Amino acid sequence: MALFLVGWAVLHRGYFTHHPIVDTPVYERYGSAMDDGQMPYRDFELEYPPGALPVFLAPALGGARGDTFRLRFEALMAFFGEAMIVCAAIALVALGASRGRLLAVLGFVAIAPVALGPVVLSRFDLWPAALTAAALAALVSGRLRLGHLALGAAAAAKLYPAVLIPVAVAYVWRRQGRGEALVCCGILLGLLALTFGPFLVLAPDGLWHSFWNQASRPLQIESLGSGLLLAAHHVFGTAVTMDSSHGSQNLAGSVPDALAIAQTVLQAVALIATWTLFARGPATRDRLVLASGASLVAFVALGKVLSPQFLIWLIPVVPLVRGRRGLAASAVLAAALVLTQLWFPYRYWQLALHFGALQSWLVLARDLVLVGLLFVLMLPLRDGDPNRLATRRPA
């Protein structure tokens, strides 16, 4: 925890302060509107689910604006980062980790934000990441209902943890039976109903717009498909066109649109394959962690949108994988974090506005590294052994 705070302080100094790209003004606008009595989704539009609202409102209470809001928001994110480390420690103890492994994994989780860069300071993703870490810690510790409660809260904060729900339900079903699995599902769905229900009644159009705004996003310039198109642009001279919409820079045209659809299909196939492989194998704690990491990586690596902050989602999960497989996965994740920092935020506009060659190759390299990470995590699910670096069968 002390190491995390040291890294947090480092991110406010020197190199890390150059060319910032921040989202805190957007969050401040949301929080200020709520502090003034406006209702989200009805009185103003936002693209995030209701579970994100507390981290926008809390720093804005009392009319806080500007630097005051920013400092409060960063303090809140630092707190969630510390909570993420505590939850990872609880999970490791439940997994039977040795002292050496415990210290190594927690050290990785603590210093990973520095490897990713200053994006962690101005995005709220440490909030759902901490909730996801809490859900995994509860599940591997045998607190199955609490784990589903935390997983529901994480999905309400930012929808991505929903990809872990099939894994969590299958885990409970295999270990405790159908009845307990249905109870856990009821708890999770009940929390989601309590979170989304009031806005579904009072502002259904605005809530639906927030979902559609995310689902209808085009191929973002940082995604795998865009990386391939940018590489083709530099090697073969093919034309590419950038269009700003949905709060990001994207590639426009029939080919990028087709790639966006193809990536969405591939993403769904990878997720279903991961869930199926897990459900068919033994429901052990280590396989739960492995399948959870694979599900998150599949969602991130193959999505048509791949913002730098998405890598925060992987930090408290992937390093929990046991053995040589875990070491390999953590090394590949570290490479993806560093490759992201090499171009974001410092060289982002050179990429988005001018399709810079160096930035384009760095984006493609990062995306391919994430695809490699997906294979590292998915392969051992085939035979139920999360520890081997390769799956070899006798002749």
Side-chain angles (χ1 to χ4, degrees):
M1 292 174 70
L3 183 61
F4 175 86
L5 291 179
V6 170
W8 196 262
V10 168
L11 289 173
H12 289 82
R13 299 289 184 270
Y15 166 78
F16 296 103
T17 62
H18 298 162
H19 309 291
I21 299 176
V22 299
D23 280 1
T24 42
V26 178
Y27 304 156
E28 180 183 337
R29 187 169 69 250
Y30 297 154
S32 299
M34 288 185 283
D35 189 47
D36 292 337
Q38 297 184 47
M39 176 178 288
Y41 308 109
R42 186 191 67 186
D43 300 327
F44 64 93
E45 294 182 354
L46 75 161
E47 58 181 301
Y48 303 110
L53 298 177
V55 296
F56 304 152
L57 175 59
L61 290 175
R65 303 293 186 270
D67 285 342
T68 302
F69 180 93
R70 179 184 61 80
L71 291 172
R72 288 183 180 181
F73 178 82
E74 289 184 6
L76 192 61
M77 291 303 108
F79 172 79
F80 291 137
E82 298 280 38
M84 182 176 70
I85 293 172
V86 172
C87 292
I90 294 171
L92 287 166
V93 170
L95 291 168
S98 65
R99 180 174 296 180
R101 180 187 171 206
L102 182 72
L103 293 176
V105 171
L106 294 183
F108 180 93
V109 174
I111 205 65
V114 177
L116 180 57
V119 66
V120 300
L121 301 176
S122 63
R123 306 299 193 275
F124 78 97
D125 295 79
L126 281 170
W127 165 231
L131 290 171
T132 303
L136 272 181
L139 288 171
V140 299
S141 300
R143 307 277 183 161
L144 303 179
R145 298 181 183 184
L146 178 62
H148 281 74
L149 186 69
L151 187 56
K158 197 161 188 177
L159 299 176
Y160 81 86
V163 302
L164 302 185
I165 293 176
V167 175
V169 172
Y171 177 76
V172 177
W173 193 305
R174 296 290 302 277
R175 291 177 73 94
Q176 299 294 332
R178 180 178 63 180
E180 182 63 19
L182 292 175
V183 170
C184 290
C185 276
I187 291 172
L188 189 150
L189 293 175
L191 183 90
L192 291 176
L194 287 173
T195 306
F196 286 88
F199 299 102
L200 188 61
V201 173
L202 298 173
D205 293 340
L207 186 61
W208 167 251
H209 177 75
S210 71
F211 282 104
W212 177 248
N213 187 58
Q214 294 295 322
S216 62
R217 293 182 68 170
L219 190 71
Q220 190 193 32
I221 200 168
E222 304 157 55
S223 65
L224 175 61
S226 291
L228 294 173
L229 290 177
L230 290 173
H233 169 71
H234 290 291
V235 175
F236 304 110
T238 56
V240 288
T241 303
M242 189 275 287
D243 177 63
S244 293
S245 65
H246 297 76
S248 64
Q249 285 65 52
N250 319 290
L251 292 188
S254 58
V255 175
D257 290 345
L259 271 178
I261 296 173
Q263 279 195 224
T264 302
V265 173
L266 184 60
Q267 182 189 57
V269 169
L271 286 170
I272 293 171
T274 300
W275 300 336
T276 303
L277 288 172
F278 174 75
R280 289 180 174 178
T284 64
R285 293 181 175 91
D286 286 317
R287 290 190 83 246
L288 171 67
V289 170
L290 188 65
S292 297
S295 297
L296 289 176
V297 174
F299 187 76
V300 171
L302 302 178
K304 60 182 179 179
V305 178
L306 207 176
S307 297
Q309 64 266 26
F310 289 8
L311 273 70
I312 298 173
W313 308 347
L314 310 180
I315 291 173
V317 180
V318 171
L320 299 181
V321 176
R322 181 188 295 274
R324 291 179 299 166
R325 177 72 55 172
L327 289 175
S330 296
V332 176
L333 175 58
L337 296 174
V338 173
L339 283 170
T340 301
Q341 186 187 152
L342 289 178
W343 58 269
F344 188 91
Y346 321 107
R347 302 178 177 91
Y348 175 76
W349 293 114
Q350 187 66 26
L351 167 73
L353 300 179
H354 307 292
F355 310 127
L358 172 62
Q359 295 76 20
S360 298
W361 291 113
L362 286 173
V363 167
L364 180 60
R366 189 277 309 272
D367 294 344
L368 292 176
V369 165
L370 286 174
V371 173
L373 177 58
L374 176 59
F375 279 101
V376 169
L377 295 175
M378 280 192 68
L379 287 178
L381 285 173
R382 296 184 304 171
D383 62 355
D385 183 359
N387 297 317
R388 287 188 288 181
L389 281 172
T391 52
R392 296 182 180 177
R393 300 184 182 280

